[in-house]
Amino acid sequence: MRQAIVKKTLFGLSLLVVSGYSSLINAHGGGATMDLAGLSRTFTGVVLVSCFDDGNGPAEHLIARIRDNSPPVPGLLVNLQLFKGNKAINITDTVSGDADYSPFVTLHGGPGVYFMIINKTNAGERSFDVEWHCQTVDGIHTGTDISVSQFN
């Protein structure tokens, strides 16, 4: 059973990493399922998002939003936090299972590495999607890379 949970978690994590770039619309997004066993109250995903000048201009900020794809469970929501240097911002998808993302949040941190942290408010399995974009001061999409640091 534990091996199946590990395989499913690794698959979800791989999906998050592999689906990180879509050349059609310069969108960055991915999804996974947190806590397949549904036992952890503290399950947390940490993604490092690198914002850089890819020829479109230097990054000025990172925007991100989250969508909880799971059926509603009272007291169980997904959260997204952005953190860089001494700045942070967060958002929660307050309606589980609908087709809508949360609003975008914006963290003005310039170029470099941002932490994108995804967690949930209680024990229980949660499936989610996240969308993120590094942008210039004029809102033009610029270089964006990710690496997953933690998913447990």
Side-chain angles (χ1 to χ4, degrees), residues 13-30:
L13 188 56
S14 297
L15 177 64
L16 182 65
V17 172
V18 170
S19 64
Y21 182 72
S22 169
S23 60
L24 282 174
I25 58 174
N26 285 331
H28 297 265

Side-chain angles (χ1 to χ4, degrees), residues 35-101:
D35 190 17
L36 289 168
L39 303 175
S40 176
R41 293 174 174 247
T42 61
F43 195 101
T44 303
V46 179
V47 178
L48 305 177
V49 181
S50 297
C51 295
F52 58 93
D53 186 347
D54 66 354
N56 287 332
E60 193 277 331
H61 59 268
L62 173 65
I63 65 171
R65 62 186 181 168
I66 192 163
R67 179 177 62 202
D68 186 344
N69 298 321
S70 302
V73 174
L76 183 55
L77 301 170
V78 295
N79 308 303
L80 172 114
Q81 298 89 35
L82 300 178
F83 175 74
K84 183 174 189 270
N86 61 356
K87 297 178 181 184
I89 194 164
N90 70 72
I91 191 77
T92 299
D93 182 357
T94 58
V95 182
S96 303
D98 66 353
D100 297 328
Y101 278 89

